[in-house]
Amino acid sequence: ETGVTQSPTHLIKTRGQQVTLRCSSQSGHNTVSWYQQALGQGPQFIFQYYREEENGRGNFPPRFSGLQFPNYSSELNVNALELDDSALYLCASSLEGAAEAFFGQGTRLTVV
Amino acid sequence: AQSVAQPEDQVNVAEGNPLTVKCTYSVSGNPYLFWYVQYPNRGLQFLLKYITGDNLVKGSYGFEAEFNKSQTSFHLKKPSALVSDSALYFCAVRDPDNYGQNFVFGPGTRLSVLP
C-alpha cells in the first residue's frame, strides 16, 4: 500500500450540490494530481498541483477546482454537480522530477 | 496529442501459463511508459516503468514489459500467471517534456486467470 490517503471513501450527492474531496500525499511528495475514472474507463487527468500552484490541467470545466496546502495535502472541489460527475476520483502524489506517481484508493462519488 | 490503446478488453489465461497484455501508444518524442494494476474497489498500483535503456523492464510481482519503439508498443508479460493476478491493468504514457500534463491512460484490460 502507498502512503497516499483519500477521504471520504464513498459519497452520495444530489445534482447541483458542491463536493470537496481530500487527499494526503505520500511523505515528502510535493506534487499532487487528481484523476477522474468513470465506470469502465481509464483515469482522466483533471489537474496537478506543485508547491501550492496549479501547473497543469486536463479537459475539465472550471467548476472543477483544487487547492494544495503547505503540507502538500490537496483538495478537489466540484461545484454544480452533474450526474456525469459520478465516478471514482483518484489522487496521486509524486516527488519533484520523478516519473512515476503513487495513487490513493480513491473516492467513489455518486451524484443522484 | 498523446494516446494509448489497449486492444483487448479482456484477457483470459490459465494459471501457470504465460500472459501478455498488449499496449500501443502514440506520442511525439520519447515517452515515459508505465503499467498500473487496479484491484476491485482499490486505487492504482504501480507495476513498472520504461524511461530509457534496456527494452525489457522488470517490475513488481514478477511482471515485465517489453518496449518496442518501431511498433510503438509496450506489452506487459509474466512467464507464469497466478489466480491472484486477476485484475484490471492500465497502460499509461507521460511526456517528459510536458510534466504538468501528467499521465494519459489506456482504457484498461481485464485479466482473468483461471484456476
Side-chain angles (χ1 to χ4, degrees), chain A residues 1 35 48 99-101, chain B residues 36 38 42 49 94 102-103:
Chain A
E1 292 292 332
Y35 291 79
Q48 175 174 281
E100 69 271 28
Chain B
Y36 282 84
Q38 186 174 38
R42 302 287 287 276
K49 66 182 178 186
R94 192 172 198 175
N102 243 263
F103 295 91

Side-chain angles (χ1 to χ4, degrees), chain A residues 1 31 33 35 37 41-43 45 48 55-57 88 90 94-95 97-101 103-105, chain B residues 32 34 36 38 41-46 49 51 88 90 94 99-108:
Chain A
E1 292 292 332
T31 303
S33 304
Y35 291 79
Q37 186 180 11
Q41 298 183 23
F45 173 62
Q48 175 174 281
N55 75 334
R57 190 176 183 93
L88 181 67
L90 296 165
S94 59
L95 282 168
E100 69 271 28
F103 286 78
Q105 82 284 5
Chain B
Y32 292 169
F34 306 82
Y36 282 84
Q38 186 174 38
N41 300 316
R42 302 287 287 276
L44 303 179
Q45 292 183 27
F46 171 72
K49 66 182 178 186
I51 304 300
L88 191 55
F90 290 98
R94 192 172 198 175
Y99 186 76
Q101 288 306 310
N102 243 263
F103 295 91
V104 174
F105 285 89

Side-chain angles (χ1 to χ4, degrees), chain B residues 27-72:
Chain B
V27 62
S28 58
N30 297 312
Y32 292 169
L33 296 161
F34 306 82
W35 277 100
Y36 282 84
V37 60
Q38 186 174 38
Y39 295 96
N41 300 316
R42 302 287 287 276
L44 303 179
Q45 292 183 27
F46 171 72
L47 279 180
L48 50 79
K49 66 182 178 186
Y50 174 82
I51 304 300
T52 187
D54 193 347
N55 289 343
L56 186 64
V57 178
K58 294 190 182 297
S60 305
Y61 312 118
F63 284 94
E64 56 190 27
E66 186 168 11
F67 171 64
N68 187 317
K69 188 172 184 178
S70 63
Q71 297 185 3
T72 62

Side-chain angles (χ1 to χ4, degrees), chain A residues 11 55 60 64 69-70 78 98 100 103 112:
Chain A
L11 200 53
N55 75 334
F60 281 81
F64 285 79
F69 300 99
V78 187
E100 69 271 28
F103 286 78
V112 298

